[in-house]
């Protein structure tokens, strides 16, 4: 298990150091802002939708390593997914982060996103990891205002 933890930690550090899709998305047709007051994480998520499929997704913002890595992994995993698939993945990630699943199942069903499973041991950081997902959901629903983890 410790080897797996090291691997997962390496994935998170890598995404924090060089976040994927960390840019403003020109021509985005959906956009939402999110804020996690507990930690001070701020994020803007941009989405381009084509016939219900996420053709492009990116983010900008500032926050802790967990929030940044989670947002980076989210954007990397959602390109080409439908809105319904994205919703289902979020539900699955949320279950993992709140400790409702087993590591083996997480790894099989979530692939690289399972690297965030260690966050479930730190309840105070769960909102850092879910911020980008809440913000994405708000962008997909076309909601106005700032998505908050509170
Ligand atoms: Zn945070």
């Amino acid at each position: 298990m410790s080897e797996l933890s090291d691997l997962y930690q390496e994935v998170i550090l890598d995404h924090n150091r060089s976040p994927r899709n960390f840019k403003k998305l020109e021509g985005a047709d959906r956009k939402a802002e999110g804020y996690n007051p507990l930690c001070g994480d701020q994020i803007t998520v941009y989405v381009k939708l084509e016939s219900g499929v996420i053709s492009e997704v990116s983010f900008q913002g500032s926050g802790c390593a967990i929030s940044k890595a989670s947002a980076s992994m989210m954007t990397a995993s959602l390109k080409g997914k439908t809105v319904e698939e994205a919703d289902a993945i979020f539900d699955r990630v949320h279950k993992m982060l709140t400790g409702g699943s087993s590591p083996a199942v997480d790894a099989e069903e979530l692939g690289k996103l399972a690297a965030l499973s260690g966050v479930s041991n730190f309840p105070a950081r769960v909102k850092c990891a879910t911020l980008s997902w809440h913000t994405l959901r708000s962008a997909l629903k076309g909601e106005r205002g700032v998505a908050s983890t509170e």
Side-chain angles (χ1 to χ4, degrees):
M1 194 56 210
S2 75
E3 265 178 45
L4 192 62
S5 304
D6 289 350
L7 176 71
Y8 281 176
Q9 197 163 2
E10 192 49 47
V11 172
I12 289 172
L13 290 174
D14 174 51
H15 276 269
N16 180 49
R17 269 193 307 259
S18 43
R20 318 301 195 266
N21 308 301
F22 188 70
K23 61 181 181 188
K24 185 179 176 193
L25 190 58
E26 295 300 333
D29 40 25
R30 299 294 174 88
K31 173 186 157 188
E33 288 171 31
Y35 179 51
N36 172 18
L38 279 184
C39 181
D41 310 313
Q42 281 179 299
I43 187 173
T44 304
V45 171
Y46 303 88
V47 185
K48 240 185 228 185
L49 277 180
E50 280 172 27
S51 318
V53 174
I54 297 169
S55 62
E56 283 190 70
V57 51
S58 73
F59 76 104
Q60 280 188 314
S62 60
C64 67
I66 296 290
S67 70
K68 208 165 170 184
S70 177
S72 172
M73 282 188 253
M74 178 188 82
T75 61
S77 68
L78 291 184
K79 208 171 163 178
K81 299 278 195 283
T82 65
V83 171
E84 290 74 23
E85 284 169 336
D87 255 353
I89 295 171
F90 178 30
D91 286 342
R92 194 61 194 71
V93 167
H94 195 264
K95 193 173 160 196
M96 171 180 78
L97 292 171
T98 50
S101 55
S102 78
V105 177
D106 292 336
E108 191 185 320
E109 295 184 5
L110 288 172
K112 286 179 181 168
L113 287 170
L116 290 167
S117 59
V119 174
S120 65
N121 297 319
F122 306 94
R125 310 308 298 278
V126 168
K127 287 175 178 172
C128 301
T130 55
L131 175 64
S132 56
W133 292 88
H134 283 297
T135 309
L136 173 91
R137 190 168 266 184
S138 149
L140 291 176
K141 284 183 181 160
E143 288 171 350
R144 290 181 175 273
V146 177
S148 174
T149 53
E150 293 305 297

